Amino acid sequence: MIFFKKISIYAGIGIIVFFGMNCFNRSPREEVAVLTDAPDVPPPITRKHAARVIVRLETKEVIGELSNGVEYTFWTFGGKVPGKFIRVREGDVVDFYLSNHPSSKMPHNIDLHATTGPGGGAASSLTTPGHTSKFSFKAINPGLYVYHCATAPVGLHVANGMYGLILVEPANGLPRVDREYYVMQSDFYTKGKYGQPGLQPFDLDKALSETPDYVVFNGRVGSMTNEKALTAKVGETVRLYVGNGGPNMISSFHVIGEIFDKVYLEGGTGNPNLNVQTTLIPAGGSAIVDFKLQVPGTFILVDHSIFRAFNKGAIGMLKVSGDEARDIYSGKISDEEYHPDTTTAPETNKKSAATKTMTLAERISEGEKVYKQHCTSCHQMKGQGVEKSFPPLAKSDFLTANKTKAILAVKEGLNGRITVNGKEYNGIMPALQLSNTDVANVLTYVYNNWGNPGGVITETDVQSAH
């Protein structure tokens, strides 16, 4: 009996040792990563342990739109620019499968800035068309990292769209927010100038001289405007994961009308900077920005190297719905004419100056001054506009079709798709904050120049337009 008891004890110890050793040697749990296209972001990671994460990514060369009517041959991770957003946790072991579509003409690989190892994985992932390569890495350092192709010539692969973001969440996670979005800036170099239609080839000379024709968010002009705008509600906190694929330009990232409550500089996860207006993001770098929304409206995302925004495409929208907060932002309270040289004049004189009837010649002369001060940078000196960006005012069927719409465009601004002289434009014209007299005069000037039909706009017309 004692003999059998000893056997039972030894057997129990053996089972404990066996399962104990097995527990210590067991690999982390396995899961397949959720990958998303911009501007979407995979959901936050809620597990409290490391895992073995499988990432499968395909390189593919595709023809897509860089702007309306402008096509480009993109080299991609996942069929779109930027590449898929990848989300893992600090301590995860990542099994990375890189497949190169059989239709590709070039070999491709991947350099993940989150990887500690030769080439960030590039040395182990060179993949010819129709093949799949596998390598593994451990996500040691938390942060937001760029990944890109590093096959020679590296600049060409990056310039054609081969980049994306991978987030390594800290083991304890990031502070919770209500909405997360993925925004990636990049610059493109085409043989044709900005807006020239058709399939545009890559221009090496422009790339070497760092003179891009396009600087865009999420792979094309208008990727986050109008019906494609990001959305949120008053009271919510928004987090933007912002990357810069380059290949050349540094981004001065800014949201017009908002202040970043927190900026995790260069994609790190240490103590954030607080109350930041604009943050620099280098080529091959990133930033995480958080901000709470207090008022409704449309907030404009830009590269504040401002010609890139309004002339090369680096512009997006965040549309915020909800109740007004007049204690934070009032909106326009009044709009009165300002006459600095008559501030001390008697009230009767001010009234007569404001109500003086102007001749057509006087309106045209005063309107020309307003036009040169406010309008020439976009619509040009002779009203010819800028192809694909700013519609022409010369011989404009938009102006002649409906004068009320023309008045409202100057008074209240205009955004969205319009057709002028048979061509589509999709941009933003801010309200110019002009007096009724200035609106009347500048439109009278435009209507009487550059092949337009003539006519006069009065203050009464402006006042009654709605």
Side-chain angles (χ1 to χ4, degrees):
M1 198 71 180
I2 295 174
F3 173 76
F4 285 112
K5 286 184 179 178
K6 286 184 177 179
I7 289 177
S8 298
I9 291 169
Y10 292 147
I13 292 171
I15 290 169
I16 292 169
V17 170
F18 173 79
F19 281 104
M21 291 178 65
N22 194 46
C23 287
F24 283 115
N25 294 330
R26 187 169 55 193
S27 299
R29 300 173 200 177
E30 189 174 276
E31 64 181 50
V32 177
V34 176
L35 308 181
T36 57
D37 294 319
D40 295 329
V41 176
I45 295 171
T46 58
R47 54 182 162 82
K48 302 301 182 184
H49 58 82
R52 181 171 291 276
V53 180
I54 298 171
V55 175
R56 298 184 186 275
L57 197 58
E58 179 189 61
T59 62
K60 192 173 184 180
E61 299 160 18
V62 300
I63 294 176
E65 275 202 332
L66 184 53
S67 184
N68 292 338
V70 182
E71 291 185 320
Y72 190 83
T73 302
F74 296 100
W75 299 356
T76 74
F77 289 106
K80 295 184 179 180
V81 177
K84 305 282 188 181
F85 194 103
I86 306 169
R87 191 169 197 157
V88 297
R89 178 188 181 276
E90 180 184 2
D92 284 350
V93 174
V94 180
D95 287 340
F96 205 102
Y97 294 82
L98 185 69
S99 299
N100 193 351
H101 195 275
S103 66
S104 296
K105 296 178 174 61
M106 299 289 293
H108 299 294
N109 64 8
I110 191 165
D111 170 1
L112 300 115
H113 291 186
T115 300
T116 301
S124 304
S125 61
L126 184 64
T127 309
T128 56
H131 286 256
T132 297
S133 298
K134 177 189 175 183
F135 68 99
S136 297
F137 70 94
K138 188 171 185 178
I140 299 172
N141 301 100
L144 180 65
Y145 299 94
V146 169
Y147 67 79
H148 60 88
C149 186
T151 302
V154 179
L156 178 61
H157 287 250
V158 174
N160 282 339
M162 299 198 78
Y163 37 75
L165 290 179
I166 176 171
L167 173 65
V168 180
E169 279 200 34
N172 294 324
L174 290 166
R176 293 290 176 170
V177 294
D178 298 295
R179 296 179 190 254
E180 297 182 317
Y181 289 111
Y182 171 20
V183 179
M184 195 149 199
Q185 180 173 318
S186 53
D187 31 293
F188 286 90
Y189 305 81
T190 57
K191 287 291 185 184
K193 64 182 181 180
Y194 180 89
Q196 185 170 323
L199 181 60
Q200 294 295 325
F202 170 74
D203 191 311
L204 179 60
D205 290 334
K206 291 180 180 178
L208 292 173
S209 63
E210 301 186 4
T211 52
D213 299 278
Y214 298 85
V215 183
V216 299
F217 294 136
N218 290 350
R220 64 155 292 156
V221 176
S223 66
M224 298 185 295
T225 60
N226 302 314
E227 69 276 6
K228 298 177 183 176
L230 309 181
T231 59
K233 297 178 180 179
V234 169
E236 292 182 333
T237 298
V238 172
R239 173 172 296 146
L240 302 180
Y241 296 105
V242 189
N244 184 3
N248 290 323
M249 301 290 102
I250 295 172
S251 174
S252 302
F253 186 72
H254 176 77
V255 176
I256 298 174
E258 262 299 341
I259 297 158
F260 302 141
D261 299 323
K262 298 178 183 178
V263 175
Y264 297 87
L265 292 174
E266 298 180 350
T269 56
N271 293 330
N273 276 8
L274 306 180
N275 305 320
V276 177
Q277 58 186 321
T278 303
T279 189
L280 289 175
I281 306 175
S286 66
I288 304 171
V289 301
D290 294 357
F291 52 97
K292 186 171 183 178
L293 300 164
Q294 287 95 352
V295 299
T298 298
F299 298 85
I300 307 301
L301 285 63
V302 297
D303 179 342
H304 215 295
S305 296
I306 208 69
F307 281 105
R308 298 178 189 170
F310 294 103
N311 298 82
K312 296 191 175 186
I315 193 165
M317 295 179 179
L318 172 63
K319 293 186 176 181
V320 180
S321 60
D323 295 333
E324 300 284 350
R326 297 295 186 184
D327 58 325
I328 295 176
Y329 182 71
S330 69
K332 182 181 282 190
I333 295 172
S334 64
D335 184 355
E336 301 175 355
E337 292 192 20
Y338 173 55
H339 300 284
D341 55 338
T342 60
T343 53
T344 59
E347 192 68 29
T348 55
N349 288 345
K350 286 193 284 184
K351 182 177 180 181
S352 62
T355 58
K356 176 188 174 184
T357 301
M358 300 177 72
T359 66
L360 176 61
E362 287 173 333
R363 284 202 184 279
I364 293 172
S365 177
E366 292 300 312
E368 182 179 16
K369 296 175 186 177
V370 177
Y371 184 84
K372 287 181 177 179
Q373 181 177 355
H374 295 282
C375 309
T376 55
S377 60
C378 296
H379 296 289
Q380 308 300 298
M381 284 296 295
K382 295 183 179 180
Q384 70 268 34
V386 176
E387 186 75 17
K388 293 288 183 179
S389 297
F390 303 107
L393 303 181
K395 298 180 180 178
S396 169
D397 57 4
F398 179 86
L399 293 178
T400 56
N402 191 320
K403 289 188 177 182
T404 298
K405 283 188 176 180
I407 292 169
L408 292 175
V410 180
K411 280 179 65 176
E412 301 176 1
L414 185 68
N415 71 71
R417 298 180 190 275
I418 62 170
T419 300
V420 180
N421 298 344
K423 295 183 179 180
E424 185 179 270
Y425 295 83
N426 188 5
I428 300 170
M429 175 181 169
L432 296 180
Q433 308 296 325
L434 300 177
S435 69
N436 289 344
T437 298
D438 283 343
V439 172
N441 290 346
V442 73
L443 283 172
T444 300
Y445 169 73
V446 170
Y447 277 117
N448 286 275
N449 279 284
W450 314 315
N452 289 318
V456 62
I457 301 294
T458 67
E459 287 83 356
T460 301
D461 295 329
V462 177
Q463 185 85 29
S464 61
H466 59 272

